[in-house]
Amino acid sequence: MNAATATRRAELETSLASVRTRVEDAARAAGRSPEEVALTVVTKFFPASDVRLLVDLGVGDVGENRHQEAVDKAAQCTDLDLRWHYIGGLQSNKAAAVAAYADVVESVDRLKLVAGLGRGADQRGRPLDCLVQVSLDPPDSGGQRAGVLPADLAELADSVADHAHLRLRGLMAVAPLGEDPDHAFTRLAEVRAGFLVEHPDATMLSAGMSGDLESAISHGATHVRIGRAVLGERPVIK
Ligand SMILES: *Cc1c(COP(=O)(O)O)cnc(C)c1O
């Protein structure tokens, strides 16, 4: 390992330890066991060399939000034992291709994606874990974030659950910018309670990022998606 790699490894080790401590503290504060909350490290904009170091430091789940970047990075990491989470916006004509490398697609937000994801899962020969992304935008906001409206969740969830090659595992959400995350995640917990009546085995709840993981964990998150707090600020796109 050269000096630059060793320095980066030490940096990631420190930031990972502090994020893990935050997750554990938040779980305990919510009266939950720390083992109930899993960490997905969001590696978008960072190179495959960082993914390699993260695996070396015990990370087993990484998240990406841009299809082409994820394709390239996954191709450089085929020797690693990793679960790839696709957490980004998805065009329906790319859905089958995402299923080729993703172990979990967290951003299923409309019916048009279901057939393509299912076809991709069938082609690779194993079922694909899916989360339905729920919009938490306040009803009057005009909607800046992706996600199915709570009113349309049941139909989309049934469609994923009924597909032979897809496995409905739970829900994903992003707190809207500028709103108190406690308010947004309170709505999420309500939506989830109704969803679990119909899909009692789909218990994953992916919510919480670097800025709001404590709030998400207090409202039931089972998976947090952390980028900046582990890897540092992302480069600015020009
Ligand atoms: C980038 C991203 C994250 C990570 O955000 P940080 O603030 O860097 O922790 C989580 N979820 C989604 C959907 C993202 O796009």
Side-chain angles (χ1 to χ4, degrees):
M1 194 180 286
N2 67 32
T5 309
T7 304
R8 181 61 169 156
R9 187 185 190 281
E11 230 171 63
L12 292 175
E13 186 170 28
T14 304
S15 57
L16 254 182
S18 81
V19 166
R20 287 190 171 126
T21 303
R22 277 177 67 189
V23 169
E24 286 163 19
D25 289 350
R28 287 201 194 89
R32 304 175 60 197
S33 155
E35 290 86 69
E36 290 174 36
V37 187
L39 173 64
T40 300
V41 179
V42 178
T43 47
K44 64 189 185 196
F45 292 96
F46 288 93
S49 56
D50 279 348
V51 175
R52 228 160 251 289
L53 290 172
L54 289 166
V55 171
D56 193 44
L57 293 166
V59 170
D61 292 85
V62 295
E64 289 286 335
N65 76 335
R66 297 186 304 177
H67 172 59
Q68 193 54 52
E69 179 182 346
V71 169
D72 296 342
K73 224 176 282 181
Q76 294 174 62
C77 296
T78 50
D79 58 313
L80 301 176
D81 187 17
L82 257 185
R83 283 169 62 76
W84 292 88
H85 296 240
Y86 191 77
I87 62 173
L90 198 46
Q91 291 171 267
S92 44
N93 62 356
K94 298 278 164 55
V98 166
Y101 61 82
D103 299 289
V104 190
V105 174
E106 301 200 3
S107 41
V108 181
D109 65 356
R110 58 198 191 282
L111 286 168
K112 273 187 79 174
L113 296 174
V114 172
L117 289 169
R119 196 169 61 251
D122 186 22
Q123 279 160 1
R124 72 180 191 173
R126 70 192 154 94
L128 175 65
D129 285 349
C130 293
L131 304 184
V132 173
Q133 182 174 355
V134 181
S135 169
L136 298 180
D137 292 333
D140 54 356
S141 70
Q144 334 100 9
R145 292 273 181 170
V148 69
L149 294 174
D152 300 326
L153 168 62
E155 184 187 17
L156 178 55
D158 287 347
S159 160
V160 173
D162 290 345
H163 197 292
H165 302 294
L166 303 179
R167 281 198 302 224
L168 177 67
R169 300 301 306 275
L171 302 178
M172 185 270 249
V174 177
L177 291 170
E179 189 192 9
D180 180 343
D182 276 325
H183 295 165
F185 291 139
T186 298
R187 290 199 296 284
L188 177 61
E190 286 165 13
V191 169
R192 183 190 187 213
F195 165 84
L196 282 172
V197 173
E198 299 302 323
H199 302 283
D201 299 327
T203 53
M204 279 177 68
L205 182 62
S206 172
M209 317 193 339
S210 295
D212 58 18
L213 71 87
E214 284 82 3
S215 171
I217 290 170
S218 79
H219 290 97
T222 63
H223 289 69
V224 292
R225 306 176 308 272
I226 309 300
R228 288 172 298 133
V230 172
L231 288 144
E233 291 302 321
R234 287 181 279 277
V236 177
I237 323 171
K238 297 193 188 77

